Amino acid sequence: MKDLIDELTAAHRDVQRREDDGTDLFAVRLRRTYPAAVADVWDAVTDPERLVRWFLPVTGDLRPGGSYQLEGNVGGDIVTCEPPRHLAVTWGAPQSVVTVRLTAEAAGRTVLELEHTVPAEFAGSGAGALYVGPGWDVSFLALGTYLRGVVVADPAAWENTLEGQHYSAGSIAAWSEVIGASGTATADEIAAAADTARAQFTPDLVATPGG
């Protein structure tokens, strides 16, 4: 369990409300440093043959202006692809955009920053981060595990194991704290969103007294 706690604290989380091109939106951001070169991390997050080993199978016209579909999950359009540092895609809907930026650090390390933006009229408040943040936390964990050379038979299925759900419970707590500090949601909004997130990401723990 300590290893999972260390993994949670390895990531920096942030929630902001801002205006982009006249659109009022909420931005959910997650940042982590990986012990791998930029080219390797970029390849891991864009090559379908590598994505399936830590994330999900992906199909589609995988080029700028094309589209993608994650197996059993969302699809969208590829808005920007500038190897090896900048990728932006719509995420399930045109208004939902996920942007990935990579920055090289010393000693062959790479900072990966993911930003998921949604217009305020759809998100409601910063508490909406609880609907996506825990899922991204699991993905960041899976990427780190993969880059260390650890093979997981079914990366997507791990999220539903008790170990995975305990990790998500820690993520929900972390995001709740970040949202509260950001001032982008009321305590009641955070509590309601956290309950929804627990039902989504930790169903077995919710159903188990003391879980």
Side-chain angles (χ1 to χ4, degrees):
M1 187 64 70
K2 180 181 181 299
D3 290 343
L4 291 182
I5 293 173
D6 290 343
E7 291 285 350
L8 276 171
T9 58
H12 174 79
R13 300 165 187 82
D14 183 46
V15 178
Q16 292 184 346
R17 184 170 189 168
R18 68 167 190 258
E19 186 174 298
D20 278 358
D21 295 327
T23 300
D24 185 22
L25 54 78
F26 287 99
V28 178
R29 295 193 298 184
L30 194 61
R31 185 176 71 249
R32 178 171 174 172
T33 301
Y34 291 102
V38 165
D40 188 28
V41 179
W42 175 265
D43 196 52
V45 301
T46 58
D47 182 345
E49 292 187 4
R50 297 187 70 185
L51 268 173
V52 71
R53 298 175 190 172
W54 66 271
F55 193 49
L56 288 168
V58 61
T59 56
D61 183 14
L62 305 179
R63 59 180 177 81
S67 61
Y68 72 94
Q69 178 63 52
L70 293 169
E71 185 176 290
N73 206 291
V74 303
D77 297 325
I78 301 171
V79 180
T80 303
C81 183
E82 300 173 352
R85 300 184 185 277
H86 183 198
L87 175 70
V89 299
T90 59
W91 191 259
Q95 303 89 351
S96 177
V97 178
V98 172
T99 302
V100 173
R101 292 183 176 86
L102 304 182
T103 305
E105 282 201 337
R109 295 160 65 86
T110 299
V111 176
L112 188 157
E113 180 176 277
L114 181 146
E115 181 179 77
H116 192 161
T117 58
V118 178
E121 63 179 304
F122 297 104
S125 75
L130 281 159
Y131 305 139
V132 297
W136 289 124
D137 264 323
V138 170
S139 297
F140 269 49
L141 169 66
L143 175 59
T145 300
Y146 170 69
L147 290 171
R148 289 197 302 272
V150 178
V151 177
V152 178
D154 188 344
W158 181 85
E159 187 174 0
N160 296 319
T161 66
L162 282 178
E163 184 180 41
Q165 291 184 52
H166 277 292
Y167 186 79
S168 292
S171 170
I172 291 168
W175 280 108
S176 296
E177 183 176 347
V178 167
I179 297 164
S182 74
T184 59
T186 66
D188 287 344
E189 288 171 331
I190 296 170
D195 284 343
T196 300
R198 281 189 283 269
Q200 177 183 354
F201 295 106
T202 65
D204 296 324
L205 303 187
V206 171
T208 303

